[in-house]
Amino acid sequence: MSEPALLPLVASLVDAPLPVSGIAWLDAMRRDNREVFVAGGLPLARVEAWKYTALRGLARRPFVDGDAAALTRAVDPSALALPGVDGARLVFVNGAFRADLSALDALPAGLTLQPLSQALHADPDPLRFVLSRRHYEADEAFTQINAAHARDGAVLRVADGVKIDAPLHLVFLGAPAEGDLAWHLRNVIELGEGAALTLVEHHLASGEQAHLSTVVGDIELREGAHLHHTVLQQAASGASLIRRTGLRLHARAHATLHLAELGGALVRHDLRAELIGDGAQLETRGVFMPHGRQHVDTQLAIRHQALNTASSSTWRGVASDRARGVFRGAIVVAPGADGSDASLSNKNLLLSGSAEIDTKPELEIYADEVKAAHGATVGQLDERSLFYLRSRGIPLAEARALLTAAFCRTVLDDLPNAALREHLSSLLIDQLPA
């Protein structure tokens, strides 16, 4: 392994001053995670989880920490709106909380939504358990960076039995700045027993830039809680966005996730779900559509740890030009998780001879009376379907677009917010090559 200090990315992150909170356990955690990162450096290709995502180009780039101008940078509020999303809103620009762009007035009873910086200042103890973790694995370098450097993020809590009707909106905006920035956000989300919430998470850009951002989130669903989480990723075409989301479902909790990965130059999302309570259910529906020279990497790991749990995952990938997509879907049914029902499907289309998609389904079963299935395909559009459409007078380009759009929209069919579903469908169509 190269000496970490010789890599410009590592050097710039190590040289950046750590945030000082004055909270002993938090500052110690930041120091410890940076020490682990310095010792291990960036993951190489021999680390299995990073086998298909090389970091050589990113490692050669230095980044500047922080962006004081983000607190006043002009942003058009109308650019943040999404159809069908009209609840409370929390906005961050280049990692800095923007109260003027957020909508936090008159929050419903039982809902807490605030930036992490404010939550730590008011009462840090409730966050100690989730924020004091050390990360030691070889594939966790960016989580270590985030743990060391994240100054802010979203803290969202829904009290026991409270059901929030209007969709909540988390916005993470990248904006042009002096130099290439590195900014980091840490989100903590908890739904109490029997609580219900619809959450929309939006990553977008207000202009071209080549920032590096890391976003780490922990989502905890207590017994009987219900979460519907939609993630739309539209980072700038030159940006690098590394995310890691941890999801824990207690007994009879139910989470449904819809994810659309559309933007960015180098994008990676590591989604890890643990079904730790009897009867917990998880549904994930995702689509990734890299084009140009984009690289989009999705790592999905689902672990069944309790009786009669269920997970269903449907993912679609479409790559064009010289883009590359990566999808790893791993399901583990742990000892004692009898009665689990797990399924995973990943189908992919290549729209050019230079595009590439690497898919790797994994299934491990250590329990009895389990139903499990997984599969993955990589191919091209069906020639018979193309012939059928062309025989009806539809031009070739339009026929290809129709079939590709239908292939992608499969993952959105059960999205209950009709306005948002139609908006996402139109974005998928816009992403297709001309």
Side-chain angles (χ1 to χ4, degrees), residues 9 63 87 94 99 111 117 121 126 175 196 228 254 258 325 342 352 425 429:
L9 168 61
F63 291 87
N94 290 353
L111 170 65
S117 55
H121 179 74
H228 195 290
H254 190 166
H258 290 85
S352 78
S425 295
I429 294 174

Side-chain angles (χ1 to χ4, degrees), residues 11 13 40-41 52 144 156-157 162 174 204 302 306 309 326 328 332 343 357 368 381 385 396 399 418-419 428:
L13 293 171
Y52 299 107
Q144 295 157 7
L156 192 166
R157 293 190 179 94
V162 173
L204 73 162
I302 301 172
T309 55
V326 179
R328 172 177 173 262
V332 175
S343 64
I357 293 180
D368 298 325
L381 290 172
S385 299
L396 176 61
L428 296 181

Side-chain angles (χ1 to χ4, degrees), residues 192-216:
E193 294 184 7
L197 174 71
T198 297
L199 179 66
V200 178
E201 177 182 334
H202 193 186
H203 301 263
L204 73 162
S206 65
E208 285 305 314
Q209 37 79 11
H211 301 334
L212 165 65
S213 53
T214 69
V215 181
V216 174

Side-chain angles (χ1 to χ4, degrees), residues 247 249 254-259 271-275 280-288 298-304 309-317 327-332 341-348 359-363 371-377 408 410-412 414:
L247 184 63
L249 284 72
H254 190 166
T256 302
L257 280 69
H258 290 85
L259 304 97
L271 174 58
R272 304 186 180 190
E274 297 177 274
L275 284 65
Q281 298 181 54
L282 171 68
E283 300 174 63
T284 71
R285 308 281 184 261
V287 58
F288 52 96
T298 298
Q299 302 281 315
L300 174 64
I302 301 172
R303 185 175 179 87
H304 293 252
T309 55
S311 68
S312 172
S313 298
T314 303
W315 289 75
R316 297 287 186 265
F327 181 84
R328 172 177 173 262
I331 298 175
V332 175
D341 186 347
S343 64
L344 185 149
S345 170
N346 172 227
K347 296 181 179 180
N348 304 282
T359 180
K360 184 182 180 184
E362 301 176 8
L363 180 60
K371 291 196 298 182
H374 71 300
T377 61
C408 295
T410 300
V411 302
L412 301 177
D414 61 345

Side-chain angles (χ1 to χ4, degrees), residues 9-242:
L9 168 61
V10 176
S12 64
L13 293 171
V14 170
D15 291 341
L18 291 178
V20 178
S21 68
I23 304 169
W25 58 265
L26 180 58
D27 292 338
M29 178 277 298
R30 286 170 170 162
R31 291 191 300 269
D32 289 351
N33 276 285
R34 185 156 79 170
E35 289 175 3
V36 175
F37 170 66
V38 171
L42 296 173
L44 302 179
R46 65 171 174 263
V47 177
E48 183 63 27
W50 289 86
K51 180 177 180 180
Y52 299 107
T53 299
L55 297 172
R56 292 185 298 272
L58 183 65
R60 289 194 294 266
R61 296 173 52 204
F63 291 87
V64 179
D65 183 60
D67 180 18
L71 297 174
T72 57
R73 192 177 306 280
V75 175
D76 181 5
S78 65
L80 309 179
L82 284 175
V85 183
D86 53 4
R89 183 170 67 195
L90 197 63
V91 180
F92 298 87
V93 177
N94 290 353
F97 169 60
R98 287 287 295 267
D100 60 314
L101 299 172
S102 301
L104 299 175
D105 297 333
L107 293 178
L111 170 65
T112 301
L113 179 61
Q114 61 186 147
L116 175 64
S117 55
Q118 292 182 9
L120 287 171
H121 179 74
D123 185 10
D125 285 345
L127 295 166
R128 180 169 184 171
F129 176 77
V130 68
L131 293 185
S132 60
R133 296 172 185 164
R134 275 70 171 172
H135 304 277
Y136 298 105
E137 298 300 324
D139 64 341
E140 296 183 312
F142 289 95
T143 307
Q144 295 157 7
I145 293 169
N146 183 278
H149 290 276
R151 291 181 169 86
D152 221 331
V155 176
L156 192 166
R157 293 190 179 94
V158 183
D160 293 350
V162 173
K163 294 176 172 54
I164 307 299
D165 295 325
L168 268 62
H169 195 188
L170 300 182
V171 180
F172 307 112
L173 178 74
E178 293 294 330
D180 294 340
L181 303 177
W183 48 273
H184 317 278
L185 288 165
R186 186 73 164 83
N187 301 324
V188 180
I189 299 170
E190 181 177 357
L191 273 62
E193 294 184 7
L197 174 71
T198 297
L199 179 66
V200 178
E201 177 182 334
H202 193 186
H203 301 263
L204 73 162
S206 65
E208 285 305 314
Q209 37 79 11
H211 301 334
L212 165 65
S213 53
T214 69
V215 181
V216 174
D218 281 284
I219 303 174
E220 191 95 14
L221 304 187
R222 300 294 177 182
E223 184 174 340
H226 285 250
L227 171 68
H228 195 290
H229 190 182
T230 302
V231 181
L232 172 58
Q233 187 276 113
Q234 294 177 291
S237 60
S240 299
L241 173 60
I242 313 294

